[in-house]
Amino acid sequence: MAKGFTDLILLLLARGAVVRSQPSDTFKGCTVPDFDWAAYSGSSTARMYAMRGAATEDYVFAAGFVKSNIDTDKEDDRTEEFSLTGPYSVADPTGQDAETIRIDLESYSASAGAIENAGGSFGQYDIGLAKINALTGVPEDFLVIKGDAMDETTGLAAKGAAVALSGHFTGHLTTELADGTIKTIWNSNIGEGGMADDADQFHPNQKDAMAHTGNDDGFVIKSNSEIGVVEWMVHYPSYQCTIAE
């Protein structure tokens, strides 16, 4: 189960929960807030860490790390490694009436990238964006922006059909645009065709207590949630750019 994803949806959909200041000598315990529904992944071949959430009148969006757990050094790639199921509710805690969507992910070598304590490496992650019906809790779409090396989503906003993601990356990101062309952005420190150094792939974006960061570039991606495609993708700094003195 992708626990981070579940927690995010529960937080987004929790209703009726009120946080009150209490004197330190009156605390008696905690209660679970009511919620309309929850959606999560129970896939054993992939996992997702939802880092940001956004909502419109009709949909809830969650974006963050997503990766196939398949290590291509040890086994062949599979199809539809990731799944997302919903809704679960108090009335249907086991999801008997839930619906599932399945998504094919890119599988990478676990030897490429900084080692992750949970297993594998940070180089195996891509960017994932889930679209869930806000009324029913049924997952409707899942967009993946692929690329080698470390990438992290730190911003998410939605209005109408427009969904904007932002974050930072160390290698490259590739996606098909709405016009059918393929767009690839490369980290300015490695240039086109380069490979990120394993030492620059870590989470969070801080190597030590001195707050020394890696060689990350920022990215901004705009997608159209109605048709499930990326409209444009840019990054800064670009290795083609020159900065005036």
Side-chain angles (χ1 to χ4, degrees):
M1 179 191 303
K3 185 177 184 298
F5 191 96
T6 308
D7 290 345
L8 176 65
I9 297 304
L10 289 175
L11 288 171
L12 285 172
L13 273 296
R15 293 185 177 179
V18 179
V19 178
R20 298 183 178 92
S21 297
Q22 295 286 351
S24 59
D25 59 347
T26 62
F27 177 77
K28 293 182 174 60
C30 299
T31 58
V32 178
D34 294 332
F35 63 93
D36 292 339
W37 53 259
Y40 61 85
S41 173
S43 174
S44 62
T45 54
R47 65 172 173 262
M48 179 180 184
Y49 299 127
M51 306 299 291
R52 293 292 183 267
T56 62
E57 184 176 348
D58 299 319
Y59 295 100
V60 171
F61 299 92
F65 300 102
V66 64
K67 81 170 182 178
S68 164
N69 291 333
I70 306 302
D71 182 354
T72 54
D73 288 340
K74 299 179 180 179
E75 56 182 301
D76 293 334
D77 194 7
R78 304 184 192 179
T79 59
E80 299 183 339
E81 298 95 332
F82 184 73
S83 63
L84 182 59
T85 302
Y88 295 85
S89 65
V90 174
D92 184 17
T94 61
Q96 291 293 318
D97 297 322
E99 298 182 25
T100 298
I101 58 173
R102 303 183 187 282
I103 301 93
D104 188 39
L105 301 177
E106 185 82 15
S107 295
Y108 303 94
S109 165
S111 62
I115 299 301
E116 183 184 9
N117 291 335
S121 78
F122 284 111
Q124 294 175 280
Y125 282 103
D126 287 330
I127 298 170
L129 173 64
K131 173 186 174 183
I132 305 169
N133 188 292
L135 178 63
T136 65
V138 173
E140 295 190 7
D141 197 10
F142 194 90
L143 177 66
V144 180
I145 296 98
K146 302 178 180 179
D148 73 312
M150 170 74 176
D151 39 65
E152 180 178 15
T153 302
T154 55
L156 179 65
K159 183 177 181 180
V163 179
L165 304 92
S166 61
H168 57 97
F169 72 108
T170 59
H172 79 274
L173 294 171
T174 296
T175 189
E176 182 176 353
L177 301 181
D179 62 6
T181 60
I182 302 299
K183 173 73 173 183
T184 300
I185 55 176
W186 296 88
N187 180 283
S188 60
N189 297 285
I190 62 173
E192 185 171 346
M195 295 295 292
D197 191 320
D198 289 352
D200 290 325
Q201 300 177 50
F202 51 88
H203 171 72
N205 187 23
Q206 179 173 321
K207 285 184 177 180
D208 52 42
M210 300 300 293
H212 175 70
T213 58
N215 296 316
D216 297 38
D217 283 358
F219 68 79
V220 178
I221 300 168
K222 181 191 176 187
S223 69
N224 184 320
S225 64
E226 285 188 354
I227 55 178
V229 297
V230 171
E231 292 188 342
W232 51 259
M233 176 170 64
V234 297
H235 75 111
Y236 181 85
S238 170
Y239 66 88
Q240 296 100 334
C241 295
T242 58
I243 301 175
E245 295 283 337

